Amino acid sequence: MMKRIGLGASSLLALGLTFVLSGTALADTDVQVAQMAPAAAKAGKPPAPGLPVLDDTVSPCDNFFLHACGVWKRENPIPDDQARWGNFNVLGDKNLTLLRQILDEAVAKPDAKTARIADFYAACMDEAGVDAKGLAPLSPMLNRINGLTDRKDLGAVIGYLHDQGVNALFGFGRMQKFSDAVQTIAAAGQGGLGLPDRDFYFKDDARSKEQRAAYVAHVARMFELAGTAPDAAKAKADAVMAFETALAEASMTRLERRDPQKQNNPTVLADFAKSVPAIDWNAYLAAIGAPAFTEMNVGQPKFFEALNAKLSQASLDDIKTYLTWHTLRANAQWLPMAFSEEAFNFYGRTLNGTKEQRPRWKRCVAATDNALGEDLGKYFVEKAFGPEHKKRMLTMVGDVQAALKDRISNLDWMSPETKAKAHEKLANMPNKIGYPDNWRDYSTLTISKGDLLGNVARSEAFEQRRQLSRIGQPRDSSEWGMTPPTVNAYYSPQQNNINFPAGILQPPFFDFTADDAYNYGAIGGVIGHEIIHGFDDQGRKFSGDGNLADWWTADDAKRFTERAQCLVDQYSGFQAVEGVNLNGKQTLGENTADNGGLPVALDALKRRLGEAGMKKKIGGLSAEQRFFYGWANVWCAQERPEFRRLQAQTGVHSLPEYRVNGTLSNMPEFAKAFSCKPTDAMVRGDKACKVW
């Protein structure tokens, strides 16, 4: 369980962009900005290192996102292979390019140390070889499904597919125990859907109906590509849709899953196995290589009740059809071009509005990072992240944590009793910066030349079994949930730590050439965001040791909820596309992190620079102004309408303009820095939301 800074529905590298993924004003400020901005815009130069070129046609007090990012948007149209394009993506592409250089060199100059990453990447890049093999590499999985003649063998088959990276029917893995986060236990949860969210199966608006029809047509085309006659393929697609709809109906909504208490359902394996007898759990666990265990957690018990009923009632042919579909779906990008193009046609074009697939080299670099992230990542770190970067980051983290400590002490709505617990949690919040202290050992993973799908399947099994091997063991707080080149960051509530991969610690998030004001607004705001996740509507339910525990007084919890409701109402009023607004409850955690993290980062900057430093101007801008431009620059982006709709429906992050305008309009420091009037759009005044 992790909370991410990212934007969600379309990630970078292997992610696709969450998730899980947080001073003194001057009287002549407006004049200075107005005089400076036109010259900067005409020259195409930012006013100071790290800052964006400003759009002088838009007042910062009217729409700060367009004022800071309008020029960027005009100069950076969305590429055809992207659903959105922003500074997250720009940096992601830069990191991909560096990784490509590393991999190309490894392929060109064979070396025992780089053989794994070189062979994986080369096998992926051999498009002609992949096409020539056709569906043959998938035969072991398909034959295993087709050979299913008795329901008693279902557990073994599902376990085999899960081990190969086919996430059908449900999810199984490990987690930290809710009541004792030091302990690692087994966990089972809902899953098995081909559409992005359970609600996609039930929404009755015209667009949702179109998407469901397109999905069924897509499933049918995939069966046809696999050799099924058109009429039979259509029948199979209908069977898949009916099967998944039954699973969706029993699934928790995204909002329900935001409450960890609802997912805290401890049990023992013997009782769980009795409640879902349609699956032979001993055979399943043997197939995925799980160690012996007793304790486990079931995230959604009602889902498994429905799953058991469905597996008992459905024909064996329909079950096999469903499993075959998810096998094709999971492996489409490793199959001949016709399969990958068909998969992209639905998931890329239809759902996200993307016009064309990313170039193969980008997909293969991302795949290598996903399969061998720490093997490849150590070479990325050597080239992109030095000790001086880590030292400066550690200083900023310390400043932000100290600022939050003061802010907690000065809260007027929290009792001394709860404050003491909050201080205890903050003091027990370590950080990981850049990369692991000890690199992962991949020596037992076999990577073969010319065997793309086999390499992917073995990599999936390697990671699955590595994860499962921790069941019954104490948690490993040194472990990373993201690879070093990833453009993202996260907070882990059950480890109570914050994590910043080297991939995001690059311009424009962390610009070593820029001044502190810019960096505290950019990466400092991200640091604050992640720390505040420990105190958002979900994170606050975990204590400093990572246990799910109520450390709040009843009155303080009530006051928190009342303040958080202000954010729910504010962000629910923001429109994604016509007819679709953001979901303020679904995005509450991320909005709380933005609205708490950025003010804390500003406090940290003031602590760092002092009164004299805050008055120092660069490019005609005060420190506060540079700070706010730093935050906006991180979120400069634009999206296709389809992506905006999908993000609003499924994402936990607000769209970029609302992460900027929504947050800054709640900050009186922003209004003061730009001499905004009480009636300006960027000033909420007495309607401003403030939790932390």
Side-chain angles (χ1 to χ4, degrees):
M1 184 180 184
M2 63 178 70
K3 306 301 290 297
R4 296 172 173 173
I5 183 70
L7 294 175
S10 137
S11 18
L12 293 171
L13 306 182
L15 294 176
L17 228 109
T18 183
F19 221 97
V20 46
L21 316 199
S22 39
T24 305
L26 302 174
D28 59 345
T29 295
D30 283 336
V31 175
Q32 290 169 348
V33 172
Q35 290 174 344
M36 170 277 302
K42 289 177 182 177
K45 296 180 180 179
L51 299 186
V53 177
L54 307 179
D55 189 341
D56 63 296
T57 66
V58 180
S59 165
C61 298
D62 183 42
N63 187 323
F64 194 73
F65 177 78
L66 288 181
H67 167 69
C69 298
V71 173
W72 188 97
K73 290 179 67 176
R74 291 195 293 273
E75 294 180 350
N76 292 274
I78 304 174
D80 286 347
D81 65 346
Q82 299 288 330
R84 74 174 297 278
W85 191 244
N87 273 326
F88 267 82
N89 308 78
V90 172
L91 178 54
D93 260 22
K94 179 183 176 183
N95 289 354
L96 281 177
T97 299
L98 177 55
L99 291 174
R100 182 190 191 184
Q101 293 171 359
I102 294 168
L103 289 166
D104 283 344
E105 183 175 342
V107 172
K109 300 177 181 179
D111 181 278
K113 293 181 179 180
T114 59
R116 271 189 300 270
I117 59 174
D119 290 347
F120 188 102
Y121 178 66
C124 185
M125 288 297 291
D126 182 14
E127 188 170 15
V130 170
D131 285 347
K133 291 179 180 178
L135 209 59
L138 200 61
S139 294
M141 296 186 210
L142 297 178
N143 290 341
R144 190 69 182 273
I145 296 169
N146 291 332
L148 184 62
T149 58
D150 194 319
R151 291 174 190 270
K152 68 179 178 61
D153 296 325
L154 189 56
V157 173
I158 297 170
Y160 165 75
L161 293 175
H162 280 191
D163 191 51
Q164 303 295 297
V166 179
N167 299 316
L169 293 174
F170 60 90
F172 185 88
R174 63 156 202 212
M175 66 172 289
Q176 304 313 127
K177 192 175 180 180
F178 277 120
S179 61
D180 183 7
V182 172
Q183 300 302 317
T184 308
I185 62 172
Q190 68 188 45
L193 304 182
L195 287 170
D197 184 77
R198 55 94 60 201
D199 290 349
F200 275 60
Y201 292 84
F202 308 112
K203 288 179 178 289
D204 60 2
D205 59 281
R207 179 59 179 156
S208 296
K209 291 178 180 178
E210 290 173 4
Q211 288 176 332
R212 282 197 294 275
Y215 177 59
V216 173
H218 162 61
V219 176
R221 284 192 290 270
M222 289 289 278
F223 274 113
E224 286 187 51
L225 289 173
T228 304
D231 288 346
K234 176 62 169 64
K236 288 186 175 185
D238 289 338
V240 167
M241 190 62 175
F243 199 103
E244 290 186 359
T245 301
L247 297 184
E249 192 170 18
S251 299
M252 277 189 184
T253 66
R254 286 181 180 265
L255 286 180
E256 289 172 327
R257 284 184 284 134
R258 282 187 51 75
D259 186 350
Q261 288 289 4
K262 291 182 178 179
Q263 300 198 72
N264 180 20
N265 304 291
T267 187
V268 295
L269 174 60
D271 289 344
F272 175 63
K274 288 179 183 177
S275 70
V276 193
I279 295 174
D280 180 343
W281 290 99
N282 288 331
Y284 171 82
L285 295 171
I288 62 171
F293 66 88
T294 300
E295 289 185 283
M296 64 180 297
N297 187 74
V298 181
Q300 302 83 23
K302 290 184 178 179
F303 173 84
F304 283 95
E305 291 177 13
L307 175 64
N308 185 73
K310 184 64 179 175
L311 291 177
S312 301
Q313 297 164 4
S315 70
L316 195 58
D317 282 344
D318 281 353
I319 294 173
K320 291 163 66 174
T321 294
Y322 167 86
L323 294 176
T324 300
W325 153 239
H326 277 274
T327 300
L328 292 171
R329 175 176 178 265
N331 293 284
Q333 59 182 319
W334 320 122
L335 295 174
M337 187 184 301
F339 288 90
S340 65
E341 279 292 338
E342 175 53 41
F344 170 77
N345 188 55
F346 178 72
Y347 289 104
R349 287 191 180 93
T350 300
L351 291 185
N352 279 294
T354 312
K355 296 181 179 180
E356 63 183 38
Q357 283 212 69
R358 289 188 299 170
R360 191 171 185 90
W361 74 263
K362 290 186 179 181
R363 287 179 277 146
C364 289
V365 170
T368 310
D369 177 54
N370 186 59
L372 298 161
E374 292 190 18
D375 213 359
L376 175 60
K378 58 189 174 186
Y379 300 106
F380 174 86
V381 169
E382 287 178 2
K383 295 179 179 292
F385 191 73
E388 69 280 6
H389 296 85
K390 188 166 186 174
K391 181 179 179 181
R392 192 169 175 185
M393 266 294 293
L394 288 171
T395 296
M396 284 192 282
V397 171
D399 285 349
V400 174
Q401 288 179 319
L404 180 56
K405 180 180 179 181
D406 288 347
R407 186 168 281 250
I408 290 171
S409 296
N410 295 325
L411 287 175
D412 60 4
W413 58 269
M414 182 178 282
S415 69
E417 181 181 351
T418 305
K419 283 182 180 180
K421 295 291 186 180
H423 281 306
E424 181 182 318
K425 181 169 186 176
L426 180 62
N428 192 34
M429 187 182 290
N431 61 76
K432 300 203 293 285
I433 306 295
Y435 51 90
D437 292 330
N438 298 298
W439 296 105
R440 190 165 298 161
D441 179 7
Y442 293 90
S443 60
T444 60
L445 172 58
T446 300
I447 299 297
S448 302
K449 294 182 178 180
D451 185 15
L452 172 57
L453 194 142
N455 291 338
V456 171
R458 287 187 293 272
S459 298
E460 292 282 356
F462 172 86
E463 179 59 17
Q464 170 91 318
R465 294 182 180 228
R466 187 190 71 81
Q467 294 273 349
L468 294 177
S469 70
R470 298 296 307 171
I471 293 175
Q473 303 296 318
R475 72 182 175 200
D476 179 4
S477 296
S478 68
E479 186 178 40
W480 283 72
M482 292 179 178
T483 66
T486 303
V487 184
N488 218 322
Y490 69 96
Y491 167 75
S492 171
Q494 291 187 288
Q495 294 190 11
N496 191 36
N497 59 22
I498 54 176
N499 306 262
F500 300 88
I504 198 174
L505 302 180
Q506 318 286 327
F509 297 86
F510 179 31
D511 191 334
F512 208 72
T513 67
D515 72 306
D516 279 336
Y518 173 83
N519 279 309
Y520 277 69
I523 197 64
V526 175
I527 294 168
H529 173 104
E530 299 304 340
I531 292 174
I532 291 294
H533 267 315
F535 304 92
D536 68 16
D537 64 307
Q538 290 178 297
R540 76 174 190 85
K541 296 177 181 179
F542 294 84
S543 58
D545 56 11
N547 294 343
L548 183 61
D550 188 0
W551 48 272
W552 294 64
T553 68
D555 286 343
D556 288 338
K558 181 174 182 292
R559 283 189 281 265
F560 176 93
T561 302
E562 289 170 349
R563 288 170 174 267
Q565 185 61 43
C566 180
L567 291 172
V568 172
D569 295 339
Q570 178 190 4
Y571 283 80
S572 293
F574 294 143
Q575 187 180 79
V577 293
E578 186 176 356
V580 179
N581 278 23
L582 302 189
N583 186 326
K585 290 184 178 180
Q586 186 169 290
T587 57
L588 178 58
E590 301 300 330
N591 298 333
T592 304
D594 283 348
N595 281 272
L598 192 62
V600 171
L602 181 56
D603 289 349
L605 176 65
K606 292 176 181 178
R607 292 169 61 95
R608 173 57 48 185
L609 295 185
E611 186 176 349
M614 291 299 293
K615 291 180 179 179
K616 182 180 178 182
K617 295 182 181 180
I618 298 177
L621 300 173
S622 69
E624 288 96 337
Q625 290 171 331
R626 300 196 304 277
F627 173 90
F628 291 121
Y629 283 125
W631 176 251
N633 196 32
V634 164
W635 301 110
C636 287
Q638 51 191 326
E639 309 83 21
R640 300 189 190 280
E642 296 89 344
F643 176 91
R644 291 176 67 86
R645 176 188 174 88
L646 184 63
Q647 176 70 9
Q649 292 176 321
T650 65
V652 296
H653 300 87
S654 295
L655 291 163
E657 67 262 40
Y658 304 128
R659 299 191 76 164
V660 175
N661 292 348
T663 303
L664 299 186
S665 64
N666 286 321
M667 293 181 65
E669 300 93 337
F670 169 81
K672 188 176 181 181
F674 289 92
S675 298
C676 299
K677 302 179 183 64
T679 55
D680 286 333
M682 286 295 302
V683 181
R684 285 174 59 83
D686 58 5
K687 294 182 180 179
C689 302
K690 181 180 178 182
V691 180
W692 293 102

